[in-house]
Amino acid sequence: MRFATWDDGRTVTAGVVGEEGLHPLPPDTTVLDLVGAGLPAAIEAGTEALSRPCVPLTEVRLLPPLQPTAIRDFVAFEEHVEGVVMSVGDGSGVVPEWYEAPTFYFTNPYPLYGAHDDVPVPPGSELFDFELEVAAVVGREVASEPPERLRDAIFGYTILNDWSARDLQRREMKVLLGPAKGKDSATTLGPWLVTADELERFRDDDGFLAVEMRVSVNGVEIGRDLLSNMGWPFEELVSYASRGTTLRPGDVLGSGTCGNGGCLAELWGRRGGLDPAPLRPGDVVEMSVEGIGTIRNRVVPGLDLPPVRPARPRSRARTRPS
């Protein structure tokens, strides 16, 4: 089942995606409410909604399917790490620590964009980039649980584009913190939230979801990969994220960017230059994931803000204010 959230110009509504359009849930019901209720209850509510009149997709603006309670973004594709280290980092190859455990960072859950929204360039960035990912949405409370018990903890999946200002990210990570403003401006989620049972048919013998992922810019394919090329399946990511803490229903866990051109920075690192070119206003980025759907966002100009003032160097002569 596929759950969506949309704006018809008057109200924001959550509902189910049917063959002919969008079927609304009861007023004031959100997709996050359904996630919290659990998958069986959500499917029951969705089945009931399918009996209601539908709204054509062409008459609404798709919003992110839910407002996450938190977003953790992993870096689970070895090929992506290898290329990006050559582009954004100071070296080449995958550090041994990457293999020891999944790594993630917390990203901003508020600047979310829908499947067809325009996305502005972050202030001060000249190296704007996309990242093709799949995100899992946690469906129940999880606290320090082993991965073999977590198949039922994933409510569903959606496409995640972790828009990235590579020049800002590069500076921040030289200070051994971040990414911060390099990842702070925009995240696309969509086009809807597909319940986990729909993707079980893609699960391979090793427990990974073998779905195809593709991204293009202005109609030219840039990258293609399989989700099953992750270093860990999603259940391992959920388990690691829950170690010593608690995940809540509605938490989003990104897979990290896929390899084989899942972002421009990977290709810049491998090719030794800005090939393909960084994103510019007017560029259209389209991402498709088998079994989930397609998102398509146009890049637009961002805010023109004054440059950031540099720090005042520390005075070597310490004096107490009089």
Side-chain angles (χ1 to χ4, degrees):
M1 190 163 283
R2 302 178 177 200
F3 293 103
T5 302
W6 65 89
D7 185 349
D8 64 4
R10 300 180 303 276
T11 59
V12 172
T13 305
V16 180
V17 183
E19 292 184 2
E20 298 181 358
L22 303 164
H23 300 263
L25 290 160
D28 299 323
T29 302
T30 69
V31 174
L32 185 58
D33 292 334
L34 296 184
V35 172
L39 190 54
I43 291 178
E44 181 179 349
T47 301
E48 182 179 340
L50 287 171
S51 65
R52 300 189 183 103
C54 73
V55 178
L57 271 166
T58 54
E59 295 182 6
V60 302
R61 172 192 165 211
L62 282 175
L63 303 176
L66 80 164
Q67 175 58 57
T69 46
I71 303 178
R72 295 167 175 84
D73 202 4
F74 283 81
V75 56
F77 286 84
E78 183 180 4
E79 185 175 2
H80 165 75
V81 175
E82 185 179 59
V84 168
V85 165
M86 291 186 282
S87 174
V88 178
D90 291 319
S92 60
V94 182
V95 297
E97 290 81 0
W98 180 85
Y99 299 94
E100 294 175 6
T103 301
F104 68 88
Y105 73 98
F106 284 93
T107 192
N108 193 342
Y110 300 113
L112 299 182
Y113 289 81
H116 306 117
D117 288 344
D118 292 344
V119 175
V121 176
S125 178
E126 296 292 332
L127 298 178
F128 196 36
D129 196 359
F130 58 81
E131 293 202 350
L132 172 57
E133 307 187 25
V134 170
V137 175
V138 176
R140 65 167 175 84
E141 189 172 286
V142 181
S144 300
E145 294 188 38
E148 57 268 19
R149 286 176 24 197
L150 293 176
R151 185 72 57 86
D152 73 328
I154 298 175
F155 181 93
Y157 302 91
T158 189
I159 302 173
L160 187 153
N161 184 352
D162 176 30
W163 301 89
S164 303
R166 298 300 185 190
D167 38 3
L168 307 185
Q169 178 187 2
R170 182 180 295 160
R171 180 195 62 78
E172 292 167 341
M173 298 188 77
K174 286 182 181 295
V175 191
L176 303 182
L177 279 178
K181 283 299 176 185
K183 301 278 194 172
D184 196 42
S185 66
T187 299
T188 299
L189 292 176
W192 30 67
L193 177 57
V194 178
T195 54
D197 56 296
E198 288 208 9
L199 295 192
E200 278 303 305
R201 59 194 173 98
F202 296 103
R203 194 174 292 276
D204 65 18
D205 293 340
D206 295 320
F208 293 82
L209 299 175
V211 299
E212 188 173 61
M213 311 164 68
R214 299 188 183 198
V215 58
S216 65
V217 177
N218 301 327
V220 177
E221 185 172 285
I222 301 296
R224 179 192 301 190
D225 201 358
L226 288 174
L227 186 60
S228 52
N229 283 327
M230 294 168 64
W232 301 264
F234 273 107
E235 290 80 8
E236 294 272 3
L237 304 188
V238 175
S239 178
Y240 185 75
S242 79
R243 288 172 66 89
T245 189
T246 302
L247 306 186
R248 308 290 182 185
D251 282 6
V252 165
L253 276 61
S255 64
T257 310
C258 67
N260 195 36
C263 68
L264 299 175
E266 178 203 330
L267 299 179
W268 298 340
R270 296 186 186 285
R271 297 173 183 177
L274 299 180
D275 176 25
L279 297 175
R280 293 287 182 261
D283 287 343
V284 175
V285 179
E286 183 172 291
M287 297 179 171
S288 296
V289 176
E290 186 179 12
I292 298 179
T294 298
I295 60 176
R296 188 174 186 270
N297 299 102
R298 181 167 62 104
V299 178
V300 296
L303 294 174
D304 186 13
L305 299 179
V308 178
R309 185 169 58 184
R312 182 188 67 175
R314 173 173 61 89
S315 173
R316 298 298 172 180
R318 297 179 182 271
T319 59
R320 185 185 299 276
S322 59

